[in-house]
Amino acid sequence: MVRGCGLLTRQNQPVALKNISVAVSIHEFVAGVSATLHYENEENVALEAFFVFPMDEDSAVYTFEALVDGKKIVAELQDKNQAHANYEDAISQGFQAYLLEEDKCSRDVFCCNVGNLQPGAKVALTLRYVQELPLEADGGLRYVLPAILNPRYHLSGRTEGSCLDLKTPVMPLEDLPYTLAMVTTISSQHGIERVQSNCPLSPMEYLEHDKTSAQVSLAEGHKFDRDVEILVYYSAVHSPSVAVEMEMPERKPDSLMGNPVVMVSFYPDIPEVEASMICGEFVFLMDRSGSMQTPLSKQVRSQLRIEAAKETLILLLKSLPLGCYFNIYGFGSSFEAFFPESVKYTQETMEAAVARVKVLQANLGGTEILAPLQKIFRGSPIPGHPLQLFVFTDGEVADTFSVIKEVKFNSTKHRCFSFGIGEGASTSLIKSIARVSGGTSEFITGKDRMQAKALRTLKQSLQSVVEDVSLSWDLPPDLTANMLSPEQTVIFRGQRLIFYAQLTGKMPTQEATAEVRLKYTLQGKNIEKKVTFSLQPKYDSNFTIHRLAAKSVIQTKDMGFRETPARERKDVLNISLESGVMSSFTAFIAVNKELNQPVQGPLVHREIPRPVLVSNSISTCKSSFIVAQSSCASSMQPNFSRGSKACLNTLSEWKNGGPPDQVAAQSCSPCPRIVCAPPALGPLHLRKMPHSSANETSLQNNCEEIGIVQLIFLQNANGSWNLNEDLARVLGVKLEDIKAAHPDEHVDPSVWATVLAVVWLHTNGMDQECEWDLVERKARAWIRTHAGSATNKVVKAANAFLKSSVDPVIFTF
């Protein structure tokens, strides 16, 4: 169950949240955000309220202020213990006081006490923060304004007193008493191509003729019922850049804020190479807690998280290289492993794992991820097979710092690739376990396909390792660059690298330039990339680069209030206080001493309601399924056509019951050119749609998407396909026709079947190439070994049979 955020109270009663206004300024790949929440105490008693605000793990919060009845109160960042003492002291004296801090269990949730809010008082709470924006695979920069804060599951027997434990009331979406207004301004020297969102937007307005500046807004009256995602696409996103920011006035030289700071971004051009066959140990850790039974998103007919997870696991299993080792763990309140220890990847072990995946359920209770991680890390390493850990979870775990510490402690023996499933997944957990182990993180929300992101990450894990990563500087005499960012040890293809460094010494008084070089080794070759930049620092009143640099250092050292080693605590505290960026050991405190009224009795408490989200999604999903099963049944007639696109309305029945035993392809009269194969449990009934080319295209794409998954499910571990009825059904043809078209009796039927499968993928599935690329590579390698000189002849016959035009050259490399 997901819930919203807002001003809460100790007795779980509502405080009237009137509206939320957010101003986002995106410059290149950095976002500066100012979020203001307007509240009013409409009761006749004084309140102590509690404000809960989810935020991305990478956000550097540097300002908190309250506007109370027209008076601005700017908070001061203090040692957390001192801030708590000052807050309690102020409240006891009848002052109005405000306390903002990170939740003790997770770095992506912030908590604020608003003490002594008088009857009729109005308060506007403003947070300001900056963050780097992640780069998506398609080149989009992704900004997310979090709205969904999932209840986090505590480890058994441990109570934390966390704000995450608060239970907020729910109400229908149309009855929510608050709305969200959000304006986003975007600027880039490369030009802005387009902006997309999961929420309705106003038309984008260009502010400059050269399209280097633009503005968009959320549609009026938007309810804050979901995470708001903005995707920004620039004309050129892979250009390296360097920015130098002026120091903060009146700060001591050689301090973090007292010297210029430089931010360097590189996009290494790492060529795509065939996936490595040197193997590894691949362990997949899948969340099977009860929350995985909910839909991935609020999109109509969105897959359940557990069903998408099962499909993803099978695709991953089919994509592994022969000779590697693997295992699958499911976790909840307890955990289960498919095998006592990782096993070698063979046809037999793959089939056994696939059979178990098909019957997986989200039935393991809570979300205790620490125990299975410890079990995995205690396992004996397999010589020559480095451990690659893939973690899939909706992130609903409270004690994230214990998990991050465990992953970091074992970072020399593995890499962790993490996936946050659905809105509200903990960015603190997902991003941190990847960062501390040298892996990557992905979030699956909205229309994202878990399958595509997981397969793309598996492909990254199989790429050749980039080694000996270093950064060097060519600076004027008497000037030195001191690195602030942690050492970069791993680079993946398509990854953006960001470095921060402090410039110390004598800055040139006149216009001057410098050079920075990124060096690394790939497949034995030394590669160097460089960029020249101006040494004239620019002034920024928000000191964005300094604060992002401080956040980078804090993330490296700060492991939470309880888990951070004593030797690191002092550094984190000092950096946090100097930069104004919050950490686990600091809190913002503000006191309004003009209000000094005795409190009459105990302060009472109120809470913001949240919209009903999950139950509506489930209802929508169920009703859509009913319509799909009942529509246009009378128009169904058997229909077989060579080259037709085979599909299933849903995959769960087919996966749980195995491939269909009978060919019973049927088509709807409104879309006669789309032929679909039914699941084994009964005939497929497609939902009747108005006849239009758009609907035909949508349905055809859905058929092709599911046909691709079915085809992959049929592949053998060695990369080949068997020539049988199941393959014929996916290809949309009759088995006897396939056999009759066999081009050479001396060629093994499996070679003919495998070539047909590869040609079909290239003909029908290029939009989803990332999901079948690895299985196709295995197939081509197998074909080269078993087809030999007959390859061109077989490919030509396959093209003729499937009415395709795939270039035979792809089978030669």
Side-chain angles (χ1 to χ4, degrees):
M1 178 69 72
V2 296
R3 63 180 174 86
C5 57
L7 195 60
L8 316 175
T9 66
R10 303 292 187 189
Q11 274 76 36
N12 298 331
Q13 299 295 324
V15 174
L17 172 60
K18 298 300 184 182
N19 63 79
I20 303 167
S21 57
V22 180
V24 182
S25 177
I26 297 175
H27 177 64
E28 303 299 352
F29 50 83
V30 173
V33 183
S34 176
T36 302
L37 298 98
H38 301 269
Y39 298 91
E40 181 177 354
N41 181 5
E42 297 177 323
E43 302 190 39
N44 57 6
V45 292
L47 304 175
E48 181 183 19
F50 195 62
F51 169 51
V52 179
F53 194 87
M55 195 171 299
D56 192 280
E57 149 80 8
D58 293 331
S59 301
V61 179
Y62 66 90
T63 296
F64 174 63
E65 62 188 33
L67 186 66
V68 183
D69 296 328
K71 177 179 175 58
K72 180 188 290 187
I73 307 170
V74 179
E76 177 186 351
L77 192 64
Q78 298 180 358
D79 179 290
K80 182 176 284 190
N81 292 329
Q82 185 62 47
H84 274 268
N86 291 341
Y87 175 80
E88 296 296 337
D89 183 60
I91 293 298
S92 66
Q93 297 182 55
F95 297 138
Q96 227 167 31
Y98 306 86
L99 181 74
L100 179 71
E101 60 185 325
E102 287 183 1
D103 184 77
K104 66 173 65 176
C105 298
S106 187
R107 203 156 39 200
D108 61 347
V109 179
F110 292 80
C111 316
C112 174
N113 291 58
V114 180
N116 204 3
L117 188 61
Q118 295 296 300
K122 296 179 180 180
V123 57
L125 302 177
T126 298
L127 286 169
R128 293 190 181 91
Y129 62 92
V130 291
Q131 71 175 100
E132 300 168 4
L133 298 183
L135 183 66
E136 296 290 291
D138 64 354
L141 289 166
R142 182 174 181 262
Y143 169 72
V144 178
L145 179 67
I148 303 304
L149 178 57
N150 291 336
R152 307 287 173 87
Y153 184 83
H154 289 307
L155 299 178
S156 298
R158 180 179 293 177
T159 57
E160 298 289 347
S162 166
C163 69
L164 295 167
D165 298 328
L166 289 167
K167 307 298 183 184
T168 57
V170 299
M171 65 168 49
L173 186 61
E174 61 271 15
D175 295 334
L176 280 182
Y178 53 88
T179 58
L180 169 68
M182 177 174 164
V183 178
T184 303
T185 304
I186 307 158
S187 61
S188 172
Q189 62 179 335
H190 303 296
I192 303 160
E193 282 192 349
R194 66 186 188 279
V195 177
Q196 297 176 350
S197 177
N198 65 330
C199 302
L201 294 178
S202 64
M204 182 171 64
E205 178 185 356
Y206 285 110
L207 305 180
E208 302 289 344
H209 292 300
D210 57 3
K211 297 185 178 181
T212 57
S213 180
Q215 189 175 85
V216 294
S217 304
L218 282 181
E220 185 177 352
H222 177 84
K223 296 289 186 180
F224 208 160
D225 66 321
R226 72 189 77 176
D227 289 350
V228 179
E229 297 185 25
I230 301 288
L231 285 172
V232 179
Y233 295 85
Y234 296 143
S235 299
V237 74
H238 293 98
S239 303
S241 64
V242 180
V244 183
E245 185 176 83
M246 188 178 295
E247 69 276 10
M248 186 177 285
E250 300 179 0
R251 291 298 178 97
K252 293 181 179 180
D254 299 331
S255 65
L256 175 63
M257 306 301 286
N259 285 103
V261 171
V262 57
M263 179 171 64
V264 182
S265 67
F266 273 106
Y267 300 83
D269 184 19
I270 300 174
E272 183 174 6
V273 296
E274 286 287 324
S276 170
M277 293 295 112
I278 59 176
C279 301
E281 180 186 5
F282 298 88
V283 176
F284 305 105
L285 182 56
M286 182 60 70
D287 193 336
R288 288 176 53 195
S289 61
S291 56
M292 289 290 288
Q293 193 59 35
T294 59
L296 272 172
S297 72
K298 294 185 292 297
Q299 301 289 332
V300 176
R301 300 179 68 186
S302 175
Q303 252 187 322
L304 295 183
R305 295 178 183 183
I306 190 63
E307 291 301 323
K310 289 160 65 174
E311 185 177 307
T312 299
L313 280 175
I314 294 177
L315 293 178
L316 287 167
L317 286 171
K318 295 290 184 174
S319 301
L320 292 176
L322 275 176
C324 74
Y325 287 76
F326 77 99
N327 205 350
I328 297 175
Y329 285 75
F331 70 93
S333 302
S334 59
F335 68 89
E336 301 173 354
F338 278 23
F339 307 101
E341 58 186 18
S342 293
V343 296
K344 195 168 186 177
Y345 181 73
T346 65
Q347 183 68 23
E348 291 72 26
T349 57
M350 184 200 71
E351 288 179 348
V354 168
R356 293 196 61 176
V357 169
K358 288 181 179 180
V359 296
L360 285 182
Q361 298 181 45
N363 60 353
L364 292 185
T367 311
E368 295 195 15
I369 192 175
L370 186 59
L373 282 173
Q374 292 171 334
K375 170 66 167 59
I376 292 167
F377 293 143
R378 282 197 301 265
S380 300
I382 302 172
H385 295 269
L387 175 60
Q388 311 262 34
L389 177 62
F390 291 69
V391 177
F392 298 82
T393 178
D394 53 20
E396 298 179 10
V397 57
D399 195 10
T400 61
F401 290 117
S402 295
V403 177
I404 296 166
K405 181 180 179 182
E406 183 70 21
V407 173
K408 184 176 183 179
F409 181 77
N410 292 278
S411 60
T412 58
K413 63 175 69 171
H414 86 293
R415 287 191 301 182
C416 179
F417 301 90
S418 54
F419 302 83
I421 303 171
E423 293 180 329
S426 170
T427 60
S428 181
L429 175 68
I430 301 303
K431 289 188 174 184
S432 295
I433 61 176
R435 183 177 59 250
V436 301
S437 64
T440 61
S441 59
E442 293 277 6
F443 290 87
I444 299 127
T445 60
K447 295 182 180 180
D448 292 341
R449 279 181 59 80
M450 185 188 305
Q451 300 85 333
K453 292 197 170 186
L455 269 295
R456 186 164 56 243
T457 300
L458 177 61
K459 187 176 176 181
Q460 285 181 328
S461 74
L462 292 168
Q463 291 291 314
S464 298
V465 177
V466 175
E467 301 173 315
D468 303 325
V469 182
S470 65
L471 205 65
S472 61
W473 303 80
D474 185 5
L475 300 169
D478 303 324
L479 191 63
T480 304
N482 300 316
M483 292 299 297
L484 298 172
S485 302
E487 180 183 1
Q488 188 80 32
T489 59
V490 180
I491 303 178
F492 296 99
R493 184 174 186 271
Q495 183 180 17
R496 180 188 63 204
L497 302 179
I498 296 179
F499 302 92
Y500 297 96
Q502 184 182 42
L503 297 180
T504 59
K506 186 177 180 181
M507 292 289 290
T509 56
Q510 298 180 342
E511 180 69 30
T513 60
E515 193 173 75
V516 59
R517 298 182 182 89
L518 174 69
K519 300 178 181 179
Y520 55 89
T521 303
L522 176 64
Q523 296 180 325
K525 296 180 180 179
N526 296 322
I527 300 173
E528 179 179 304
K529 303 293 181 181
K530 61 184 179 181
V531 60
T532 302
F533 62 96
S534 170
L535 278 173
Q536 300 303 307
K538 295 184 178 180
Y539 176 75
D540 178 358
S541 60
N542 294 323
F543 297 96
T544 299
I545 294 177
H546 280 77
R547 285 175 166 137
L548 288 174
K551 179 68 174 181
S552 175
V553 178
I554 289 171
Q555 283 181 318
T556 303
K557 297 175 177 288
D558 188 353
M559 297 299 294
F561 197 81
R562 186 178 61 247
E563 301 289 350
T564 304
R567 64 182 180 275
E568 304 282 14
R569 288 189 175 214
K570 185 177 180 180
D571 287 346
V572 173
L573 179 61
N574 290 339
I575 293 169
S576 177
L577 292 175
E578 182 187 351
S579 64
V581 175
M582 192 185 296
S583 71
S584 296
F585 305 98
T586 52
F588 281 106
I589 173 73
V591 178
N592 180 11
K593 294 189 176 182
E594 291 186 6
L595 175 66
N596 187 2
Q597 302 177 11
V599 178
Q600 304 296 322
L603 296 174
V604 296
H605 310 272
R606 297 294 179 259
E607 180 179 309
I608 292 298
R610 64 176 177 83
V612 179
L613 298 177
V614 173
S615 58
N616 282 354
S617 298
I618 294 175
S619 174
T620 301
C621 187
K622 287 181 178 178
S623 63
S624 297
F625 181 76
I626 292 171
V627 170
Q629 292 297 313
S630 62
S631 298
C632 67
S634 60
S635 64
M636 292 294 182
Q637 299 295 332
N639 187 341
F640 303 96
S641 173
R642 174 175 295 179
S644 61
K645 314 302 187 291
C647 77
L648 293 178
N649 196 38
T650 63
L651 282 171
S652 57
E653 293 177 349
W654 186 85
K655 287 188 294 182
N656 292 332
D661 295 323
Q662 298 178 354
V663 179
Q666 300 176 342
S667 67
C668 275
S669 56
C671 41
R673 294 195 296 273
I674 307 301
V675 181
C676 298
L681 301 182
L684 172 69
H685 300 290
L686 293 174
R687 182 172 50 181
K688 185 175 293 186
M689 302 179 182
H691 184 66
S692 72
S693 59
N695 286 329
E696 282 192 8
T697 300
S698 175
L699 182 55
Q700 178 169 329
N701 289 341
N702 183 56
C703 288
E704 291 172 353
E705 174 184 306
I706 299 173
I708 291 167
V709 175
Q710 288 181 286
L711 185 62
I712 294 172
F713 283 7
L714 295 175
Q715 190 186 37
N716 297 316
N718 62 9
S720 68
W721 273 267
N722 296 328
L723 185 58
N724 54 30
E725 287 280 5
D726 297 329
L727 177 65
R729 187 172 301 111
V730 174
L731 299 181
V733 296
K734 296 180 180 180
L735 179 59
E736 53 267 33
D737 292 339
I738 298 179
K739 292 180 177 179
H742 194 307
D744 190 333
E745 61 180 10
H746 300 294
V747 173
D748 189 280
S750 291
V751 171
W752 174 229
T754 304
V755 170
L756 284 172
V758 172
V759 169
W760 190 93
L761 285 171
H762 279 270
T763 304
N764 298 282
M766 293 307 295
D767 288 343
Q768 291 175 255
E769 184 179 7
C770 61
E771 295 185 27
W772 53 259
D773 180 56
L774 290 175
V775 300
E776 187 262 3
R777 291 187 183 193
K778 279 206 300 184
R780 284 191 285 113
W782 185 88
I783 290 168
R784 285 196 298 271
T785 302
H786 293 80
S789 59
T791 300
N792 284 344
K793 180 179 180 181
V794 178
V795 173
K796 183 178 180 180
N799 274 325
F801 182 70
L802 295 177
K803 295 181 172 58
S804 303
S805 56
V806 175
D807 190 345
V809 173
I810 68 168
F811 291 88
T812 62
F813 59 90

